Amino acid sequence: MPNISNFNQFEYSGGFFNKILGGILIILAIGVAAYTTTYIWIEKRTICEKLTFKPITEEVALDRAYPLKTSIATELRENSWTKSEHTVPAGTTVQVLGAYMTRLNYRADIYSSSAPWVYSPDQYFWIKLPNGATGAARLPEALVGRKIVIKSGERAGQTVTVTGVRKNKTKDKFPYDYSVEGSKKTYKWGEFTPLNKDVPEMVVYTCPLSGSFEKERHKAAHVPSFLKIPVHDDNGYFLFPRFKKWNMYKILPWWRGRIMLTVYWLILMIIVIKLLGAKSIKLSAKAQRKTMENPDYSSEQVYLSAVNYYWPRYHIRAFIVGCVFSPLVWLFTRINRSAMVSSLKNELNGERCPKCAQLALAWKWTGKETGWQYVRTVQTDSYTYTSSDDKGGEEIYDPSTGQYRKRKTYTTTTYGAGSHDLYERKKEYVVYCKHCHAILKTDWEVESKTGNYEGGDVISERTTKEAVKWGYAPKN
């Protein structure tokens, strides 16, 4: 078959205007994409926190504050890592404003990434003293009123309510004795498991930037100065959990806000790129239909008109997508443009007659051909071939399922080394226009055949049967 091509030779250029437009839009998109991508990344890096903690005002937090009488002296701090500001003596009634967290995914007891309602003796709380001072303080008494499960002893496995806590003189990491209802025996930390399922929604206070100067706040939050610090990265009160059946603590810490966001972004970008590619194909096809069949256009005019129709319409869509996601979209844009140009060139060179401008190019054999000429002798090595009886096969009835199975027959044949001769001849074809009957090109195409086989005999043959693992309804 001849190659129907190269009948419309000219320089394929996108045009000066389209090149300038493309360059300007790419530069703008890179700038806008840098801004929007940074904004989306900063806003969405806390996606787990946004789905777990609901921002609330200080007034709402104060309405939810509850009194607690300390039974152990504690220290009030500006935050969990600063020095003590006040000593809060035992017997002081404080207002608990919320569980304190340095960040919403990072509790103040340093090594814990547990949910704020998971009790720990060194968990910090944001409290308000009778004199109005507020700060972070440890409150082992926070377990009072909550249920625990005894781990060992006579009451192992029992669920009881904690009624009090006092400090002991041991050198334990948490030197506290917890008293429970209905028993004079006290329990140390580690001898029971606090229950967290029945804990109601609670207020959480976070101040990750506490103590930093205003000009350092953006640096501390890893936010560029031209963007606002997201509420979840700044000081504030939150309600936990936002939803009863889901919170980020059901996901492993390493996955929170990192891989989830990346996967989400990539999936969304792939979807958009596919939509952009589909739109590119439609625009390309429409541009070709509008110009290809116009007999008043030369091939070059067809190309330029099609590009001028396609490129601005595609570019504005690529610009929007590129701004929202990233300049990576423009790499895909180059692929779309190449595909459009290649398709247009193929249509022009393989379908459109350069004389009458009709899409009527075809080819045919003139009837002329040369005789067969010996080329060379080809040597072949021995080989093994396996075939199967796909249509036939022995039927086996399975009474347990009421279905039939077929047992296929496989035949493995080994052939010896051999040789054969290769021959070639040429046939004349012409490329012509079915509309104006112009002969555009004459070409000789090479045709080949083989003969004079020697060797290659069957050395061995082996047949095996294998039951196929599928069934079908029994025959009537």
Side-chain angles (χ1 to χ4, degrees):
M1 177 180 175
N3 180 23
I4 304 178
S5 62
N6 301 322
F7 297 120
N8 300 282
Q9 295 296 322
F10 57 88
E11 181 67 23
Y12 287 95
S13 173
F16 179 75
F17 173 77
N18 288 323
K19 290 181 178 180
I20 294 297
L21 175 64
I24 292 174
L25 290 179
I26 287 175
I27 293 172
L28 287 176
I30 290 175
V32 177
Y35 180 90
T36 55
T37 302
T38 303
Y39 176 81
I40 291 172
W41 176 260
I42 290 172
E43 284 293 327
K44 300 304 181 183
R45 71 184 178 189
T46 56
I47 185 171
C48 290
E49 287 89 337
K50 291 175 185 291
L51 295 175
T52 302
F53 297 92
K54 178 182 179 181
I56 58 175
T57 63
E58 185 174 359
E59 289 73 19
V60 174
L62 291 175
D63 289 340
R64 289 175 170 267
Y66 62 91
L68 184 145
K69 187 174 182 179
T70 61
S71 58
I72 303 170
T74 187
E75 304 294 331
L76 184 72
R77 304 183 179 192
E78 182 183 6
N79 49 53
S80 61
W81 61 84
T82 55
K83 295 182 179 180
S84 171
E85 293 182 339
H86 302 284
T87 297
V88 182
T92 304
T93 299
V94 300
Q95 291 290 319
V96 180
L97 304 180
Y100 177 87
M101 299 179 73
T102 54
R103 290 188 182 275
L104 290 180
N105 63 345
Y106 193 59
R107 273 174 46 171
D109 41 347
I110 301 177
Y111 299 108
S112 174
S113 59
S114 302
W117 61 17
V118 176
Y119 174 82
S120 174
D122 60 349
Q123 166 68 28
Y124 279 84
F125 290 84
W126 195 252
I127 66 172
K128 184 176 182 179
L129 300 183
N131 63 5
T134 58
R138 288 174 172 168
L139 295 177
E141 301 90 342
L143 193 60
V144 175
R146 291 177 58 173
K147 295 184 180 300
I148 62 173
V149 178
I150 307 300
K151 287 185 177 180
S152 59
E154 296 180 357
R155 303 188 67 179
Q158 292 186 15
T159 300
V160 294
T161 301
V162 177
T163 56
V165 58
R166 66 175 182 271
K167 193 171 184 179
N168 58 42
K169 296 182 180 181
T170 65
K171 294 183 179 180
D172 295 340
K173 180 179 179 181
F174 303 121
Y176 306 117
D177 293 326
Y178 296 85
S179 55
V180 300
E181 62 178 356
S183 176
K184 294 182 179 180
K185 177 179 173 56
T186 59
Y187 296 88
K188 294 181 179 180
W189 179 253
E191 296 179 339
F192 58 86
T193 302
L195 293 181
N196 303 303
K197 293 182 180 180
D198 298 328
V199 178
E201 60 183 6
M202 62 188 299
V203 174
V204 173
Y205 180 72
T206 177
C207 54
L209 308 178
S210 179
S212 62
F213 294 105
E214 184 65 29
K215 64 180 180 180
E216 297 177 343
R217 289 166 63 82
H218 281 77
K219 183 178 180 181
H222 304 290
V223 176
S225 58
F226 56 83
L227 291 176
K228 182 181 178 181
I229 298 175
V231 63
H232 288 75
D233 283 342
D234 209 343
N235 298 7
Y237 291 93
F238 299 84
L239 200 60
F240 172 87
R242 187 164 198 159
F243 305 104
K244 293 182 179 179
K245 295 184 178 180
W246 190 92
N247 63 72
M248 72 177 185
Y249 297 97
K250 294 183 179 180
I251 303 176
L252 293 175
W254 190 78
W255 287 82
R256 299 175 193 163
R258 292 179 176 86
I259 301 301
M260 278 187 64
L261 174 60
T262 303
V263 171
Y264 162 81
W265 186 81
L266 288 176
I267 290 175
L268 196 58
M269 185 174 179
I270 289 172
I271 292 174
V272 173
I273 283 179
K274 283 187 173 294
L275 293 176
L276 192 62
K279 190 63 179 179
S280 172
I281 294 173
K282 290 181 179 179
L283 285 173
S284 177
K286 191 172 182 179
Q288 292 180 36
R289 286 197 305 270
K290 289 176 68 70
T291 58
M292 194 75 71
E293 298 178 1
N294 190 336
D296 296 330
Y297 282 179
S298 68
S299 295
E300 186 170 6
Q301 287 174 324
V302 168
Y303 174 78
L304 293 177
S305 297
V307 170
N308 288 335
Y309 177 87
Y310 166 87
W311 207 226
R313 289 168 176 80
Y314 176 83
H315 246 132
I316 192 63
R317 291 172 172 83
F319 173 72
I320 295 172
V321 175
C323 288
V324 173
F325 291 94
S326 80
L328 292 176
V329 171
W330 293 95
L331 298 178
F332 188 75
T333 293
R334 293 178 63 88
I335 297 174
N336 283 340
R337 181 189 183 281
S338 297
M340 182 268 179
V341 171
S342 176
S343 174
L344 184 59
K345 289 171 63 176
N346 289 337
E347 290 291 327
L348 282 171
N349 290 332
E351 299 290 340
R352 196 173 194 264
C353 176
K355 294 187 177 181
C356 67
Q358 297 296 317
L359 303 179
L361 294 186
W363 61 274
K364 64 181 179 180
W365 176 44
T366 64
K368 296 180 180 180
E369 62 184 21
T370 64
W372 290 103
Q373 300 291 327
Y374 168 80
V375 179
R376 65 179 182 276
T377 299
V378 179
Q379 302 291 333
T380 59
D381 298 328
S382 61
Y383 65 96
T384 300
Y385 175 75
T386 301
S387 62
S388 63
D389 182 4
D390 294 328
K391 296 181 179 179
E394 179 184 353
E395 292 185 342
I396 304 172
Y397 180 71
D398 187 350
S400 63
T401 61
Q403 291 185 329
Y404 283 87
R405 291 188 299 168
K406 276 190 177 182
R407 177 173 292 170
K408 280 189 176 181
T409 300
Y410 293 90
T411 302
T412 302
T413 306
T414 301
Y415 298 88
S419 65
H420 62 269
D421 294 334
L422 179 65
Y423 299 88
E424 289 183 352
R425 71 176 177 184
K426 293 182 179 181
K427 301 180 73 173
E428 186 185 51
Y429 291 86
V430 294
V431 179
Y432 70 101
C433 176
K434 293 184 291 185
H435 182 263
C436 67
H437 307 292
I439 303 297
L440 303 177
K441 182 180 180 181
T442 301
D443 201 1
W444 290 87
E445 297 293 322
V446 177
E447 190 178 59
S448 62
K449 73 172 185 178
T450 57
N452 298 332
Y453 285 88
E454 294 184 2
D457 300 326
V458 176
I459 298 176
S460 64
E461 189 173 75
R462 180 168 56 89
T463 301
T464 58
K465 293 183 177 182
E466 179 180 336
V468 180
K469 297 180 181 179
W470 52 267
Y472 49 94
K475 297 180 177 178
N476 295 327

